[in-house]
Amino acid sequence: MEKKNIDWGNLGFAYMETDKRFVSNFKGGAWDEGALISDANVTMSECACVLQYAQTCFEGLKAYTTEDGHIVTFRPDLNAERMEASAKRLEMPVFPKERFIDAVVQVVAANEAYVPPFGSGATLYLRPYMYGKNAVIGVKPADEFEFRVFCTPVGPYFKGGVKPLTIRVSDFDRAAPNGTGHIKAGLNYAMSLYAIMSAHREGFDENMYLDPKTRTKVEETGGANFLFVTKDNKVVTPKSGSILPSITRRSLVHVAKEYLGLEVEEREVFFDEVKDFAECGLCGTAAVISPVGKIVDHEIGRAHV
Ligand code: PLP
Ligand code: COI
């Protein structure tokens, strides 16, 4: 398969239209069989539920070329399961797991020319998502939905690749207790846009969100979970009902425990403890594993390195 003429090594984390995407529609209580299509645009009612009430959830996963030339994706079954949880919480129909995985495989195969070569540092990012499509004016769920998977080749999420990040403790909260922080709802990201832009304006790469109720415990960033390492080599990661259960984090915890024989603590992590950890990193599909160099608690004026 001839690859596209793309400067793989210089890709950022940005959208590039590729050849095919998978689309399936839910109408009259059932998903249709779906198809790969060429049209990258969506047409819908001006009053679509997604436009009025943000009824949408999404996933993110990557396809990679292995050294021996195979193309693999990373644990798509877990993305399917997480999307099921998101859909249920947002009153949307579940797109069945086997069909989710099949759609991912179809999209990767149809866009093989865009899968970055091994060693290029780039990957093919897949974005499955679902949204309420029909017109809704009273506050209620849609009854027609679209499930779509598109893909785009990407480079590093953080500018400059793997270099230690500087993050700040956010004054804004990400997810309420008993809210939607544990699912991948579009609304969680809409509310983070002001916070991330103001962080950037102040020279920070990301926000560290604390638990909104007590503002004493570390939750996560806008798009990644935290991993810490103690001075005696234990891995510590925050446990909370309002953070997204990162598939990367769950995989790393498994590797740390089962392959590296490290002790792992998944527990509440108080911000006061952060200064005593030896290392801090962010993990996620887009974020990969990104080291944190500095955390600034601007309200109190403390800086933790
Ligand atoms: N936390 C948030 C808020 C995210 O958006 C993501 C990205 O999906 C993650 C964590 C990391 O999750 P995963 O490792 O499944 O990509
Ligand atoms: C991902 O890592 O797939 C995400 O959805 C995070 C987002 C910040 C791009």
Side-chain angles (χ1 to χ4, degrees):
M1 149 74 56
E2 177 126 0
K3 293 286 177 189
K4 295 283 170 184
N5 184 19
I6 292 171
D7 184 5
W8 306 107
N10 284 311
L11 286 173
F13 195 85
Y15 174 73
M16 175 190 296
E17 188 179 319
T18 54
D19 292 343
K20 298 283 179 190
R21 63 279 304 128
F22 177 87
V23 178
S24 174
N25 280 285
F26 183 93
K27 204 173 174 169
W31 290 104
D32 67 16
E33 71 182 46
L36 286 171
I37 62 164
S38 300
D39 190 355
N41 298 302
V42 166
T43 304
M44 68 180 115
S45 164
E46 62 187 355
C47 198
C49 193
V50 62
L51 298 179
Q52 304 309 320
Y53 302 125
Q55 193 185 24
T56 179
C57 61
F58 70 98
E59 274 302 325
L61 69 159
K62 284 173 171 172
Y64 309 79
T65 306
T66 60
E67 197 164 3
D68 60 1
H70 288 91
I71 297 175
V72 294
T73 58
F74 188 67
R75 309 188 78 181
D77 51 326
L78 297 187
N79 293 95
E81 285 172 14
R82 194 168 61 187
M83 195 168 200
E84 175 170 346
S86 300
K88 286 179 176 162
R89 178 65 176 78
L90 295 171
E91 289 292 338
M92 296 199 268
V94 169
F95 195 74
K97 182 161 147 181
E98 318 71 59
R99 292 203 57 200
F100 179 105
I101 296 169
D102 180 58
V104 164
V105 171
Q106 284 193 47
V107 170
V108 175
N111 295 288
E112 197 183 332
Y114 293 91
V115 184
F118 176 78
S120 63
T123 52
L124 188 75
Y125 184 71
L126 289 133
R127 176 50 67 87
Y129 65 110
M130 191 194 289
Y131 61 92
K133 199 170 183 182
N134 59 298
V136 161
I137 193 70
V139 178
K140 62 173 189 165
D143 48 30
E144 292 175 15
F145 298 85
E146 182 168 299
F147 169 82
R148 189 176 271 248
V149 185
F150 68 78
C151 66
T152 181
V154 294
Y157 185 68
F158 293 108
K159 263 201 225 115
V162 181
K163 62 158 182 40
L165 303 170
T166 299
I167 63 178
R168 70 167 187 189
V169 177
S170 176
D171 282 338
F172 305 100
D173 294 324
R174 175 181 174 273
N178 307 313
T180 55
H182 61 301
I183 59 160
K184 218 160 159 50
L187 62 93
N188 294 340
Y189 299 81
M191 63 60 55
S192 76
L193 296 176
Y194 182 80
I196 190 65
M197 292 312 288
S198 72
H200 289 169
R201 283 190 284 270
E202 290 173 22
F204 299 101
D205 295 302
E206 251 294 359
N207 286 298
M208 171 186 267
Y209 291 104
L210 300 180
D211 74 296
K213 193 168 175 187
T214 70
R215 312 210 90 235
T216 59
K217 288 174 269 182
V218 177
E219 296 250 290
E220 60 174 327
T221 69
N225 281 182
F226 278 106
L227 284 173
F228 299 99
V229 181
T230 62
K231 287 176 187 146
D232 58 354
N233 238 15
K234 263 188 231 151
V235 176
V236 178
T237 187
K239 189 173 179 175
S240 152
S242 49
I243 66 177
L244 191 77
S246 158
I247 294 164
T248 316
R249 189 251 302 158
R250 285 183 274 161
S251 307
L252 290 169
V253 161
H254 182 78
V255 169
K257 276 188 196 162
E258 307 300 330
Y259 290 74
L260 304 176
L262 294 172
E263 211 176 306
V264 180
E265 292 178 356
E266 294 180 58
R267 59 167 173 83
E268 290 185 331
V269 175
F270 287 86
F271 181 67
D272 280 350
E273 310 175 54
V274 166
K275 60 183 183 320
D276 300 324
F277 289 127
E279 290 185 59
C280 171
L282 305 182
C283 66
T285 300
V288 298
I289 306 176
S290 299
V292 174
K294 192 172 180 186
I295 303 170
V296 177
D297 181 356
H298 54 290
E299 271 177 39
I300 309 172
R302 281 180 304 195
H304 301 295
V305 181

